[in-house]
Amino acid sequence: ARDMARGRPREVVEHRMNYRYFPAQRLYRAAFDPVRRAEVIIDNDRWEHPRLARHVSDRLPRAVENAITALVRA
């Protein structure tokens, strides 16, 4: 929607998504496995009610842990 609002035709937007962005995301995930490496994962499927999906508190400074907890509870 954002790109089409800037005047790009749907076909161009879909081509960029399918042949540029999605393949780049797959390469990144394969190379770095960010889900496995993450110390904190916030499930933001329901953006108005974020949920803490994973939290490895023993590797986080207390201030960061408190900020994450406050964010998810807000």
Side-chain angles (χ1 to χ4, degrees), residues 32-44 50-60 64-65 68-69 72:
F32 298 104
D33 196 5
V35 172
R36 182 183 58 79
R37 296 174 58 182
E39 294 175 358
V40 175
I41 297 178
I42 297 175
D43 178 352
N44 207 20
R51 182 181 68 82
L52 194 57
R54 183 167 76 208
H55 181 211
V56 184
S57 63
D58 62 333
R59 297 193 305 200
L60 297 174
V64 173
E65 185 176 343
I68 291 167
T69 302
V72 173

Side-chain angles (χ1 to χ4, degrees), residues 10-63:
R10 175 178 291 280
E11 298 78 26
V12 170
V13 173
E14 289 177 356
H15 183 270
R16 290 170 67 143
M17 296 295 289
N18 292 326
Y19 294 97
R20 184 178 190 180
Y21 298 114
F22 292 151
Q25 289 175 358
R26 283 191 292 274
L27 286 172
Y28 173 79
R29 287 183 185 125
F32 298 104
D33 196 5
V35 172
R36 182 183 58 79
R37 296 174 58 182
E39 294 175 358
V40 175
I41 297 178
I42 297 175
D43 178 352
N44 207 20
D45 285 340
R46 295 179 56 208
W47 63 269
E48 69 280 5
H49 298 289
R51 182 181 68 82
L52 194 57
R54 183 167 76 208
H55 181 211
V56 184
S57 63
D58 62 333
R59 297 193 305 200
L60 297 174
R62 174 68 64 195

